[in-house]
Amino acid sequence: MLVWYVSYGSNMHAARLGWYIGGGCPPGGKRTYPGCRDRRPPSRSAAVSLPGGIYFAGESGAWTGGMAFYDPHLPGEAAARAYLVTREQFTDIAAQEMYRPTGDPTDLIPATGAAVDAAVASGRATLGPGRYETLVCPGHRDGVPLLTFTAPEGASAARCRPPAPIYLGMIAKGLRESHGWPTERIVAYLSARPGVAGTWPPDAVAALVDEALVDG
């Protein structure tokens, strides 16, 4: 079975997603990923927009600072990138985001498989109370379900926190790579996200984005 894994954070940058699939520690990261059992790259990718928005909260073990989460109840649209992967690969990507070991046949795989089915049927399913343990299916593309994961609570219940500059820069790279946005639009989008808005002035976000995009 194929699914679209939808990323709205750093994995919008294809090279960043490559570490989840192939394993290893990305430059500037603080975490080594075991990778997927199936290490083939996604067969396709596409720029997509999700109803709602993203916010930053919690503490990232990979970057420090706040992590990006998706809230379908926020106003506007969330820019994202969909990757066509196998269900097994989606399960392994989800396991790594949840900080669980990949390939555990006694717990995660059947639980995630059931959650995928439930999310596709009803739009939402929860594996647990932790970060990225809530699966959301915002629709289909070419007859294939779009699937992403987020926190169980929305932005209104979260304690928002600004992300680390390197993390926000990676998201900026993903927005440019997947959506082709000019710098001004990337800055406007990121500056308005809860966790960034009111914490970093737009000129600081602009300087960060300029540096990230120059570095490639």
Side-chain angles (χ1 to χ4, degrees):
M1 175 183 175
L2 295 177
V3 301
W4 291 101
Y5 159 52
V6 181
S7 171
Y8 48 83
S10 60
N11 281 346
M12 282 192 288
H13 189 41
R16 168 68 177 159
L17 177 64
W19 295 98
Y20 280 83
I21 294 176
C25 181
K30 297 181 178 295
R31 184 179 171 212
T32 299
Y33 297 91
C36 294
R37 289 163 289 167
D38 180 350
R39 303 202 171 197
R40 291 175 296 175
S43 53
R44 289 169 55 196
S45 74
V48 297
S49 296
L50 306 180
I54 67 168
Y55 65 97
F56 294 92
E59 170 72 22
S60 171
W63 306 103
T64 73
M67 301 169 287
F69 295 102
Y70 169 59
D71 182 351
H73 301 295
L74 283 172
E77 289 186 328
R81 186 175 190 175
Y83 297 94
L84 192 62
V85 298
T86 68
R87 182 165 168 159
E88 178 186 274
Q89 286 177 313
F90 177 80
T91 300
D92 287 350
I93 293 167
Q96 291 173 88
E97 286 283 27
M98 296 174 198
Y99 279 68
R100 302 190 191 191
T102 57
D104 181 353
T106 63
D107 177 21
L108 184 68
I109 294 173
T112 304
V116 167
D117 291 339
V120 171
S122 65
R124 188 178 181 94
T126 300
L127 274 163
R131 62 189 219 166
Y132 300 125
E133 292 189 356
T134 297
L135 303 187
V136 177
C137 177
H140 291 70
R141 182 182 178 90
D142 300 332
V144 178
L146 296 155
L147 288 166
T148 192
F149 28 76
T150 187
E153 72 276 2
S156 62
R159 189 173 186 178
C160 290
R161 182 180 181 192
I166 189 171
Y167 180 50
L168 202 64
M170 188 65 70
I171 295 175
K173 291 180 182 180
L175 289 168
R176 170 64 60 81
E177 184 179 273
S178 58
H179 287 260
W181 284 2
T183 300
E184 294 76 12
R185 186 171 181 182
I186 294 173
V187 171
Y189 176 78
L190 294 178
S191 295
R193 300 309 100 199
V196 177
T199 303
W200 288 1
D203 59 344
V205 177
L208 183 155
V209 169
D210 282 340
E211 181 179 357
L213 296 179
V214 166
D215 288 344

